[in-house]
Amino acid sequence: MKNTRKMPALVLLLVLTGITPLFALDVRLTAPKFGIDPNGSLVGNPSANAIVNWFDTEFAATFSRIQDSTNAKVGKIKSDPEQLIGAFGNASVFASDGASQRTFGGYKFLAITTGSMFGFKLPEKPFTILKEMDSIGETVKKDGDVPVGLNFQAFNVQAGINASKFLLKNLYLGLKFGVMKMDLENVSFNTFSIGALGNYQLIPHLNLGVFEWRGINLGTGLIYQGTKFWFDIPLDPETHNIDMSAFDSLGITWGAPGNKQITKYSTINMDLNVHTITIPLEAMTAIRVVAVNIPFGVGIDVALGSSKLTTSLSTDVRFEDLPDGLIQTQPANMTMTMGGNHRPVFFNPKIMTGIGFNMGPMIFDIPITFYISDNMGYNIGVTLGFIL
């Protein structure tokens, strides 16, 4: 019987093989249960109930021990990772300026732009992200949390108008709207944004032919943005061979000799809901040389809202070839869950730059923003439009 006690542990190790979650937290294991096949060879066997009880007891005890040791190993990893969840909210704030017009102030009448924007929240300075990506896993193990998040606003459009003639000289007003809807069988990604923006040209632009200084523009506004991301993806089944010859000591038939099989059926689920309100406060300028436009600015994004994340991994383990007369009445199961609801960082200082091209009324712009201070991150986008 001593040798047979090692087998449930082996089975559980096979369950865990290949599953290395970033955030394990709240690990729960359910041991398999077994019963007598009403049409099998154990019917009428006086030892049948003892055999079933032995299987149930051994697996239950082993699963309980492994659950305790697994939770002890991942004890530092937070089941409610505040930095991670808040980072998705900040990434939403960073991505809120799609279809940006901030570098083309001073137009005479109308500006229409469309574009996309990526926002990234990082644990370190943006310039060292490639180096730091390799250490994110170690950071999770050490600190139990990591401030990493991203957001993608695929389609935005903005209409701007020069309000000098009917409201205030050198005042430019804009309305922006963004939407994306992608619903597939196991994945859903939906975003929506709407906002009102205003820019005041504090110092008018100066045009010297091939060279133009676009003056100094002060900008603010109010942008609401919502992102819903969900997926429920079954992983490919994994089959493992296990040597169950030690169970011969129970005196039951195990079919053909040799290795037997168990199969893991795993599903990963993630549900992310982000709602943010961004109030940008910006001072911006730019120079144009021939058709090339180079902007520079500083500012702060004031962020309100919340991000809610729930994610889990669930694995069922089924025996494909049990001893003759024995059936599995309950699959072995392992689940790992994490989640929470947190706010983005309130003040987000930033430096704005990029490169653009202005040929007649047509504009093409690649805006880039670096978020400095402790709340590191950046955004990068593509904007296409025209000004009149």
Side-chain angles (χ1 to χ4, degrees):
M1 188 70 72
K2 280 187 177 181
N3 290 335
T4 61
R5 292 181 182 272
K6 299 179 181 179
M7 302 314 298
L10 174 60
V11 174
L12 187 58
L13 289 175
L14 290 170
V15 175
L16 296 172
T17 299
I19 299 175
T20 310
L22 278 179
F23 301 95
L25 353 325
D26 195 16
V27 177
R28 297 182 182 273
L29 291 92
T30 301
K33 289 187 177 182
F34 302 90
I36 300 171
D37 184 351
N39 299 314
S41 61
L42 287 179
V43 175
N45 187 328
S47 300
N49 289 333
I51 293 171
V52 171
N53 290 336
W54 187 91
F55 267 76
D56 287 346
T57 301
E58 287 295 307
F59 276 90
T62 303
F63 270 52
S64 179
R65 289 194 300 270
I66 300 301
Q67 176 174 291
D68 291 342
S69 64
T70 302
N71 277 309
K73 291 178 182 178
V74 300
K76 290 185 178 181
I77 304 178
K78 300 176 181 178
S79 61
D80 182 6
E82 180 178 356
Q83 292 187 81
L84 173 76
I85 297 171
F88 280 98
N90 270 103
S92 173
V93 172
F94 298 169
S96 63
D97 196 22
S100 171
Q101 298 180 4
R102 67 192 186 194
T103 64
F104 293 96
Y107 54 85
K108 293 181 180 179
F109 174 60
L110 181 69
I112 302 292
T113 51
T114 184
S116 301
M117 182 69 75
F118 284 91
F120 300 87
K121 172 68 182 75
L122 307 174
E124 297 291 341
K125 297 178 182 180
F127 302 104
T128 62
I129 182 57
L130 294 179
K131 177 182 177 181
E132 297 299 329
M133 284 296 290
D134 293 335
S135 64
I136 286 179
E138 292 301 319
T139 301
V140 173
K141 293 179 182 179
K142 178 182 177 182
D143 301 331
D145 199 356
V146 61
V148 174
L150 60 89
N151 193 283
F152 175 48
Q153 298 297 313
F155 175 77
N156 296 266
V157 62
Q158 182 175 170
I161 188 169
N162 187 337
S164 297
K165 293 185 179 180
F166 62 89
L167 195 58
L168 179 66
K169 186 177 180 181
N170 296 328
L171 178 65
Y172 299 83
L173 301 177
L175 290 175
K176 74 178 297 292
F177 173 80
V179 66
M180 177 183 177
K181 188 175 179 64
M182 182 184 71
D183 292 312
L184 304 176
E185 182 179 358
N186 298 109
V187 179
S188 176
F189 182 72
N190 300 306
T191 63
F192 173 80
S193 67
I194 189 169
L197 301 168
N199 283 275
Y200 179 74
Q201 192 165 47
L202 183 65
I203 299 178
H205 68 97
L206 179 64
N207 194 333
L208 299 177
V210 296
F211 175 86
E212 179 181 4
W213 178 52
R214 294 190 180 276
I216 296 178
N217 295 278
L218 304 179
T220 187
L222 187 71
I223 304 170
Y224 165 79
Q225 191 156 273
T227 301
K228 293 184 179 182
F229 177 48
W230 169 89
F231 68 77
D232 189 8
I233 300 178
L235 305 180
D236 291 336
E238 297 181 32
T239 299
H240 299 272
N241 293 323
I242 55 176
D243 182 5
M244 302 296 283
S245 59
F247 283 108
D248 292 343
S249 62
L250 290 175
I252 60 176
T253 305
W254 189 264
N259 291 336
K260 308 304 173 184
Q261 291 184 336
I262 61 170
T263 302
K264 297 189 304 184
Y265 302 89
S266 300
T267 300
I268 296 178
N269 173 269
M270 179 177 177
D271 190 1
L272 174 68
N273 283 274
V274 181
H275 300 276
T276 57
I277 295 175
T278 304
I279 303 172
L281 304 171
E282 303 173 346
M284 198 78 192
T285 188
I287 59 171
R288 180 182 62 84
V289 180
V290 188
V292 179
N293 193 74
I294 302 175
F296 179 80
V298 295
I300 294 175
D301 282 345
V302 178
L304 305 170
S306 67
S307 55
K308 182 179 180 181
L309 174 67
T310 303
T311 185
S312 65
L313 184 146
S314 179
T315 299
D316 286 341
V317 181
R318 298 183 182 274
F319 290 81
E320 304 298 330
D321 185 10
L322 279 171
D324 187 27
L326 201 65
I327 59 173
Q328 186 178 0
T329 59
Q330 175 177 289
N333 178 270
M334 179 181 68
T335 62
M336 295 175 289
T337 60
M338 59 163 284
N341 191 345
H342 297 285
R343 298 177 180 178
V345 176
F346 187 62
F347 286 109
N348 300 277
K350 61 184 181 179
I351 297 174
M352 299 168 285
T353 186
I355 187 169
F357 302 91
N358 185 189
M359 293 168 284
M362 302 302 298
I363 58 175
F364 175 76
D365 192 32
I366 302 176
I368 301 173
T369 303
F370 297 99
Y371 288 87
I372 54 179
S373 188
D374 293 334
N375 193 28
M376 298 297 181
Y378 66 96
N379 69 32
I380 184 169
V382 176
T383 299
L384 180 65
F386 65 89
I387 55 177
L388 299 174

